[in-house]
Amino acid sequence: MILCDIGNTFLHFYYRGRVWKEKRNNLSQKDSSEVVIYISVNQESTRSLLLSHPYCFDLTPYMNLDTNYKGLGIDRIAACNAISDGVIIDAGSAITLDIMHDGLHLGGCILPGIAQIQKGFKSISVLDCGINLSVPLDTLPQNTKDAVSYGILKPIILLIENFSKNKKIYFTGGDGKFLSRFFENAIYDDLLIFKGMQNIITAKITSKGIYL
């Protein structure tokens, strides 16, 4: 059984402890005896997967979450199914923040990812100066590059602090490991979405005697 999280840029795979990512126009051949269980936010990439592998299973109909939130993305639902209590931060092209409390999803928010915010500065030529990921956030910047870097990072950190309060913070996604270093009560887990998928497979499929 291969797990696949299909995002907007990459298809992320998990198989027997190994994690890797591929682009839809360059998918590798998988073991044809293994079913690929997937969730997706990108239909073109989904079609590419279905054309490249003989046995794929869409987990979407089995995905649910106790929440009043309308339109919650399938990847966020998966991550929230991995954590019953805490703040979940998926830091990729967008940064999503979700709060779980005793298995209940209380809500969340979305903001642009670090790279997307950087792109906005590139449209202002004088501010197209890159980012200093080591910029101190406890002192005022003294040059333009640090000022831009501070302006990108500080609001993200403050928003996460406001959300988390005393809860543990679970980071995942491409920038998750970097952002987690700003918080003492943080855990970085690049398998978070896959763990949520596995929990749903166990609860909704294999527990009912269905084997894929």
Side-chain angles (χ1 to χ4, degrees), residues 174-186:
D175 288 324
K177 191 170 187 178
F178 165 72
L179 290 174
S180 68
R181 76 181 196 180
F182 294 98
F183 302 90
E184 292 183 0
N185 57 335

Side-chain angles (χ1 to χ4, degrees), residues 129-161:
C129 53
I131 182 172
N132 175 13
L133 295 177
S134 299
V135 63
L137 298 180
D138 55 353
T139 59
L140 285 174
Q142 299 299 318
N143 62 73
T144 300
K145 184 172 184 176
D146 282 359
V148 168
S149 305
Y150 187 101
I152 291 173
L153 297 176
K154 188 71 170 184
I156 296 172
I157 302 303
L158 289 176
L159 183 63
I160 295 172
E161 286 179 348

